[in-house]
Amino acid sequence: MWLATNGKSDMQMYSEADVDAAKLNGKRIAILGYGSQGKAHALNLKDSGHDVVVGLRPDGASWAKATADGLQVAAPRDAVKGSAIVMFLTPDTVQGQLYGTVESAVDDGAMLMFAHGFNIHFKQIQPRADLDVSLIAPKGPGDLVRRQYQEGHGVPCLVAVEQDATGNALPLALAYAHGIGGARAGVIETTFKEETETDLFGEQAVLCGGATELVVAGFETLVNAGYQPEVAYYECMHELKLIVDLLHEGGMKKMHEFISETAAYGDLTRGPRIVDDHVRAKMKEVLTEIQDGTFAKQWIAENDAGQPEYKRMMQNDLDHSIEVVGANLRSRMDWLEN
Ligand code: NAD
Ligand code: MG
């Protein structure tokens, strides 16, 4: 395996001991949005003893949920007034418009925060000069951010500061990460550029785009060769979890300890023929489109048009026969949360 850095790194990682959690004392935190991340951040910060208000549209479905969870809720402009921190946890596609709505109500010298750098990096939000702008990006979905916190653990986070008007942005962002449990696992310093570009690349090439296309291509190869779709489903989709769990817990080493020698030999000799130089060249192409703004431009235009292509392609994905076969088999495993 060739690594440009030879594995060396100048990574800066903060742990709980490096964080002054008291930086948040007496400071109100507005969480805008109550979806996957919003719910987890709001509840974790509240349980950590902080003053939290959730900013939501009064007619939206989340208002009742956040209220029922015991949180203080207000319309976005009311939530940001008097808050020292304003965290944007709505979908990325509405954050620009939402910032326009709340900007004039945000206190002087407050800090805008994000869990993903898209809107700052691609200049969909151009913050007022008196504000701090930082990022705490948990490297996991919201339900895990909540569950790990409740279990006394935490999801690792990235921290970045884009604008440091007060000179206090980094310690304050770290205190926020501490409040959601992220400092327990470690907080790595990055930039908005690095977080945005690597996050988009990961979800496009490996985690979402890459993994699902690999699964579907494997399923289709088996089914087209005459094998039973149910057997192909177990092989190509269901069993992926076993491998991913082993990788997550103990890397390649743990996976190789648990799979058979035959599986390992097949992996070592056949894997590089599947993910070959052609795939690596395509990955580089996808990365270049992220770096030069092509992807962002396309996604912003798609949203401006009301997401017609997005909806069409999503429906195609959901109509695929692997979904029909999978739904049937999963219904027999009632312990799965489907
Ligand atoms: P989500 O889609 O789960 O949540 C959206 C919530 O925003 C809704 O529940 C609603 O309460 C609110 N909302 C929607 N439109 C609104 C509007 N116009 N005004 C006010 N509120 C509105 O979002 P999410 O997946 O939690 O993502 C939030 C942010 O976190 C994004 O920046 C995303 O990139 C980032 N992030 C997400 C994950 C993840 O696993 N989901 C992981 C890391 C970072
Ligand atoms: Mg991600």
Side-chain angles (χ1 to χ4, degrees), residues 240-281:
L240 187 61
K241 177 169 167 41
L242 166 75
I243 300 302
V244 170
D245 283 350
L246 292 169
L247 290 173
H248 182 88
E249 288 159 16
M252 301 286 189
K253 184 167 182 289
K254 182 161 185 184
M255 186 200 67
H256 281 303
E257 281 164 11
F258 278 77
I259 66 176
S260 70
E261 259 189 330
T262 308
Y265 183 70
D267 162 354
L268 297 171
T269 56
R270 268 57 181 178
R273 286 170 54 192
I274 302 293
V275 180
D276 61 3
D277 285 347
H278 167 259
V279 172
R280 285 165 190 265

Side-chain angles (χ1 to χ4, degrees), residues 80-144:
V80 307
K81 267 179 220 153
S83 288
I85 290 180
V86 178
M87 175 53 125
F88 283 79
L89 294 175
T90 66
D92 294 302
T93 48
V94 305
Q95 288 180 7
Q97 194 224 337
L98 183 60
Y99 178 69
T101 312
V102 299
E103 184 181 43
S104 63
V106 175
D107 279 18
D108 289 350
M111 178 155 79
L112 304 183
M113 292 190 75
F114 298 86
H116 176 39
F118 190 99
N119 286 294
I120 293 293
H121 181 62
F122 292 115
K123 301 202 172 354
Q124 300 303 293
I125 294 177
Q126 290 179 290
R128 260 171 33 202
D130 64 291
L131 302 174
D132 289 342
V133 179
S134 70
L135 170 133
I136 290 293
K139 294 283 97 185
D143 66 332
L144 200 62

Side-chain angles (χ1 to χ4, degrees), residues 158-229:
L158 301 182
V159 63
V161 172
E162 178 78 7
Q163 201 165 288
D164 193 7
T166 67
N168 205 21
L170 181 63
L172 203 54
L174 288 172
Y176 182 102
H178 188 282
I180 63 169
R184 293 168 178 165
V187 184
I188 297 180
E189 194 163 335
T190 183
T191 59
F192 271 65
K193 175 179 157 61
E194 183 178 66
E195 187 279 335
T196 304
E197 293 176 352
T198 55
D199 193 68
L200 291 173
F201 178 78
E203 64 202 19
Q204 292 177 17
V206 181
L207 306 174
C208 308
T212 56
E213 287 304 316
L214 193 64
V215 164
V216 170
F219 175 83
E220 287 177 352
T221 301
L222 288 177
V223 173
N224 289 339
Y227 297 99
Q228 296 181 72

